[in-house]
Short mmCIF file of all heavy atoms in Angstrom, two decimals:
data_model
loop_
_atom_site.label_atom_id
_atom_site.label_comp_id
_atom_site.label_asym_id
_atom_site.label_seq_id
_atom_site.Cartn_x
_atom_site.Cartn_y
_atom_site.Cartn_z
N ALA A 67 7.73 28.67 10.99
CA ALA A 67 8.28 29.98 10.64
C ALA A 67 9.14 29.88 9.39
O ALA A 67 9.87 28.92 9.23
CB ALA A 67 9.11 30.52 11.81
N LYS A 70 3.70 30.95 8.38
CA LYS A 70 2.34 30.75 8.92
C LYS A 70 1.34 31.79 8.40
O LYS A 70 0.18 31.45 8.18
CB LYS A 70 2.38 30.77 10.45
CG LYS A 70 3.03 29.52 11.03
CD LYS A 70 3.04 29.54 12.54
CE LYS A 70 3.80 28.34 13.06
NZ LYS A 70 3.90 28.32 14.51
N ASP A 106 -1.35 25.45 17.39
CA ASP A 106 -0.36 25.86 18.40
C ASP A 106 -1.04 26.14 19.76
O ASP A 106 -0.51 25.78 20.81
CB ASP A 106 0.39 27.12 17.96
CG ASP A 106 1.48 26.81 16.94
OD1 ASP A 106 1.91 25.65 16.85
OD2 ASP A 106 1.90 27.74 16.22
N GLY A 130 6.27 38.51 23.43
CA GLY A 130 6.40 38.27 22.00
C GLY A 130 5.10 38.59 21.28
O GLY A 130 4.01 38.52 21.88
N ALA A 131 5.22 38.98 20.02
CA ALA A 131 4.03 39.32 19.23
C ALA A 131 4.18 38.82 17.80
O ALA A 131 3.64 39.40 16.87
CB ALA A 131 3.80 40.83 19.26
N GLY A 132 4.94 37.72 17.62
CA GLY A 132 5.12 37.13 16.30
C GLY A 132 4.05 36.08 16.03
O GLY A 132 3.01 36.04 16.69
N GLY A 133 4.33 35.20 15.08
CA GLY A 133 3.36 34.19 14.66
C GLY A 133 2.94 33.26 15.79
O GLY A 133 1.77 32.90 15.88
N ALA A 134 3.89 32.88 16.64
CA ALA A 134 3.55 31.94 17.71
C ALA A 134 2.62 32.59 18.73
O ALA A 134 1.63 31.99 19.16
CB ALA A 134 4.82 31.45 18.39
N ALA A 135 2.92 33.84 19.11
CA ALA A 135 2.07 34.56 20.06
C ALA A 135 0.66 34.70 19.49
O ALA A 135 -0.35 34.37 20.14
CB ALA A 135 2.67 35.94 20.36
N ASN A 154 5.97 43.16 23.98
CA ASN A 154 6.91 42.83 22.89
C ASN A 154 8.04 43.85 22.86
O ASN A 154 7.87 45.00 23.25
CB ASN A 154 6.16 42.82 21.55
CG ASN A 154 6.97 42.14 20.46
OD1 ASN A 154 7.58 41.10 20.70
ND2 ASN A 154 6.99 42.72 19.27
N ARG A 155 9.22 43.38 22.38
CA ARG A 155 10.37 44.28 22.20
C ARG A 155 9.96 45.49 21.36
O ARG A 155 10.21 46.62 21.71
CB ARG A 155 11.51 43.50 21.53
CG ARG A 155 12.75 44.29 21.28
CD ARG A 155 13.83 43.38 20.73
NE ARG A 155 13.47 42.80 19.43
CZ ARG A 155 14.27 42.02 18.73
NH1 ARG A 155 15.47 41.69 19.19
NH2 ARG A 155 13.89 41.54 17.56
N THR A 156 9.27 45.22 20.24
CA THR A 156 8.72 46.30 19.41
C THR A 156 7.27 46.50 19.85
O THR A 156 6.38 45.72 19.48
CB THR A 156 8.77 45.91 17.91
OG1 THR A 156 10.10 45.44 17.63
CG2 THR A 156 8.42 47.07 17.01
N LYS A 159 3.96 46.23 17.69
CA LYS A 159 3.42 44.93 17.25
C LYS A 159 2.49 44.34 18.31
O LYS A 159 1.51 43.67 17.98
CB LYS A 159 4.55 43.95 16.94
CG LYS A 159 5.33 44.32 15.69
CD LYS A 159 6.21 43.15 15.27
CE LYS A 159 7.30 43.59 14.33
NZ LYS A 159 8.40 42.62 14.25
N PHE A 177 8.42 46.06 26.46
CA PHE A 177 9.04 45.41 27.62
C PHE A 177 9.27 46.41 28.76
O PHE A 177 9.08 46.10 29.92
CB PHE A 177 10.39 44.80 27.23
CG PHE A 177 10.28 43.54 26.39
CD1 PHE A 177 11.38 43.10 25.67
CD2 PHE A 177 9.12 42.81 26.33
CE1 PHE A 177 11.32 41.95 24.90
CE2 PHE A 177 9.03 41.65 25.57
CZ PHE A 177 10.14 41.22 24.85
N ALA A 191 7.04 33.68 24.22
CA ALA A 191 6.79 33.32 22.81
C ALA A 191 7.70 34.14 21.90
O ALA A 191 7.37 34.36 20.74
CB ALA A 191 5.32 33.58 22.46
N THR A 192 8.85 34.58 22.43
CA THR A 192 9.82 35.25 21.56
C THR A 192 10.79 34.20 21.03
O THR A 192 10.89 33.09 21.57
CB THR A 192 10.65 36.32 22.32
OG1 THR A 192 11.61 35.67 23.15
CG2 THR A 192 9.77 37.23 23.15
N SER A 193 11.53 34.59 19.99
CA SER A 193 12.55 33.67 19.47
C SER A 193 13.93 34.04 20.01
O SER A 193 14.94 33.58 19.48
CB SER A 193 12.54 33.68 17.94
OG SER A 193 12.60 34.99 17.46
N ALA A 194 13.96 34.87 21.08
CA ALA A 194 15.24 35.32 21.64
C ALA A 194 16.15 34.14 22.01
O ALA A 194 17.35 34.18 21.78
CB ALA A 194 15.00 36.20 22.87
N LEU A 196 16.59 31.34 20.68
CA LEU A 196 17.26 30.69 19.56
C LEU A 196 18.61 31.35 19.30
O LEU A 196 19.52 30.74 18.75
CB LEU A 196 16.39 30.73 18.30
CG LEU A 196 15.02 30.03 18.42
CD1 LEU A 196 14.23 30.16 17.12
CD2 LEU A 196 15.19 28.56 18.78
N GLN A 199 19.65 34.41 23.69
CA GLN A 199 19.32 35.62 24.44
C GLN A 199 18.04 35.36 25.21
O GLN A 199 17.43 34.31 25.07
CB GLN A 199 19.12 36.78 23.46
CG GLN A 199 20.40 37.15 22.74
CD GLN A 199 20.17 38.18 21.64
OE1 GLN A 199 19.04 38.47 21.27
NE2 GLN A 199 21.24 38.70 21.10
N ARG A 200 17.64 36.37 26.02
CA ARG A 200 16.33 36.26 26.65
C ARG A 200 15.66 37.63 26.56
O ARG A 200 16.36 38.65 26.44
CB ARG A 200 16.42 35.78 28.10
CG ARG A 200 17.16 36.68 29.02
CD ARG A 200 16.86 36.45 30.48
NE ARG A 200 17.56 37.48 31.24
CZ ARG A 200 17.07 38.68 31.45
NH1 ARG A 200 15.89 39.02 30.98
NH2 ARG A 200 17.78 39.57 32.13
N PRO A 201 14.32 37.66 26.59
CA PRO A 201 13.66 38.95 26.51
C PRO A 201 14.10 39.85 27.66
O PRO A 201 14.19 39.39 28.80
CB PRO A 201 12.17 38.61 26.60
CG PRO A 201 12.07 37.15 26.84
CD PRO A 201 13.40 36.53 26.66
N MET A 217 8.35 28.63 25.15
CA MET A 217 7.96 27.84 23.97
C MET A 217 9.15 27.13 23.34
O MET A 217 8.99 26.16 22.61
CB MET A 217 7.29 28.72 22.92
CG MET A 217 5.89 29.14 23.29
SD MET A 217 5.06 29.77 21.82
CE MET A 217 3.58 30.44 22.57
N VAL A 218 10.35 27.66 23.60
CA VAL A 218 11.55 27.00 23.11
C VAL A 218 11.85 25.80 24.02
O VAL A 218 11.45 25.79 25.19
CB VAL A 218 12.73 28.00 23.12
CG1 VAL A 218 14.04 27.33 22.76
CG2 VAL A 218 12.44 29.14 22.12
N GLY A 241 8.90 24.10 26.01
CA GLY A 241 7.87 23.95 24.99
C GLY A 241 7.81 22.60 24.30
O GLY A 241 7.13 22.46 23.28
N MET A 244 4.31 21.27 24.23
CA MET A 244 3.50 22.04 23.27
C MET A 244 3.75 21.55 21.85
O MET A 244 2.82 21.39 21.05
CB MET A 244 3.85 23.53 23.38
CG MET A 244 3.21 24.39 22.33
SD MET A 244 3.68 26.13 22.51
CE MET A 244 2.93 26.81 21.02
N LEU A 245 5.02 21.31 21.55
CA LEU A 245 5.39 20.84 20.21
C LEU A 245 4.67 19.53 19.88
O LEU A 245 4.07 19.38 18.81
CB LEU A 245 6.91 20.64 20.14
CG LEU A 245 7.41 20.07 18.82
CD1 LEU A 245 7.42 21.16 17.76
CD2 LEU A 245 8.79 19.46 18.98
N GLN A 248 0.73 20.16 19.64
CA GLN A 248 0.22 20.77 18.40
C GLN A 248 0.30 19.77 17.25
O GLN A 248 -0.57 19.74 16.39
CB GLN A 248 0.91 22.11 18.08
CG GLN A 248 2.42 22.11 17.87
CD GLN A 248 2.86 21.62 16.50
OE1 GLN A 248 2.11 21.76 15.54
NE2 GLN A 248 4.03 21.03 16.41
P1 NDP B 65 8.48 35.26 14.83
O1 NDP B 65 9.72 35.49 14.06
O2 NDP B 65 7.16 35.39 14.17
O3 NDP B 65 8.45 36.30 16.09
C1 NDP B 65 9.59 36.49 16.87
C2 NDP B 65 9.21 37.23 18.16
O4 NDP B 65 10.37 37.18 19.02
C3 NDP B 65 8.89 38.71 17.95
O5 NDP B 65 7.95 39.10 18.90
C4 NDP B 65 10.25 39.39 18.21
O6 NDP B 65 10.15 40.71 18.67
C5 NDP B 65 10.77 38.52 19.35
N1 NDP B 65 12.22 38.54 19.50
C6 NDP B 65 13.15 38.06 18.63
N2 NDP B 65 14.39 38.22 19.14
C7 NDP B 65 14.23 38.84 20.34
C8 NDP B 65 15.15 39.27 21.34
N3 NDP B 65 16.47 39.12 21.21
N4 NDP B 65 14.65 39.82 22.46
C9 NDP B 65 13.31 39.97 22.60
N5 NDP B 65 12.39 39.60 21.69
C10 NDP B 65 12.85 39.03 20.57
O7 NDP B 65 8.67 33.83 15.50
P2 NDP B 65 7.49 32.87 16.03
O8 NDP B 65 6.50 33.70 16.75
O9 NDP B 65 7.01 32.00 14.93
O10 NDP B 65 8.26 31.91 17.06
C11 NDP B 65 8.66 32.37 18.35
C12 NDP B 65 9.30 31.23 19.12
O11 NDP B 65 8.33 30.27 19.48
C13 NDP B 65 10.38 30.50 18.32
O12 NDP B 65 11.48 30.34 19.18
C14 NDP B 65 9.75 29.17 17.99
O13 NDP B 65 10.71 28.14 17.90
C15 NDP B 65 8.82 28.96 19.18
N6 NDP B 65 7.67 28.11 18.87
C16 NDP B 65 7.53 26.94 19.57
C17 NDP B 65 6.46 26.12 19.31
C18 NDP B 65 6.32 24.84 20.07
O14 NDP B 65 5.49 24.02 19.68
N7 NDP B 65 7.05 24.63 21.15
C19 NDP B 65 5.43 26.43 18.29
C20 NDP B 65 5.66 27.71 17.64
C21 NDP B 65 6.76 28.49 17.92
P3 NDP B 65 10.15 41.96 17.64
O15 NDP B 65 8.74 42.05 17.13
O16 NDP B 65 10.57 43.11 18.47
O17 NDP B 65 11.13 41.62 16.55
#
Side-chain angles (χ1 to χ4, degrees):
K70 288 181 185 178
D106 281 340
N154 195 42
R155 180 175 63 178
T156 310
K159 290 194 198 161
F177 287 162
T192 75
S193 51
L196 299 179
Q199 294 172 349
R200 63 161 185 84
M217 286 195 189
V218 174
M244 173 181 173
L245 176 77
Q248 60 79 28

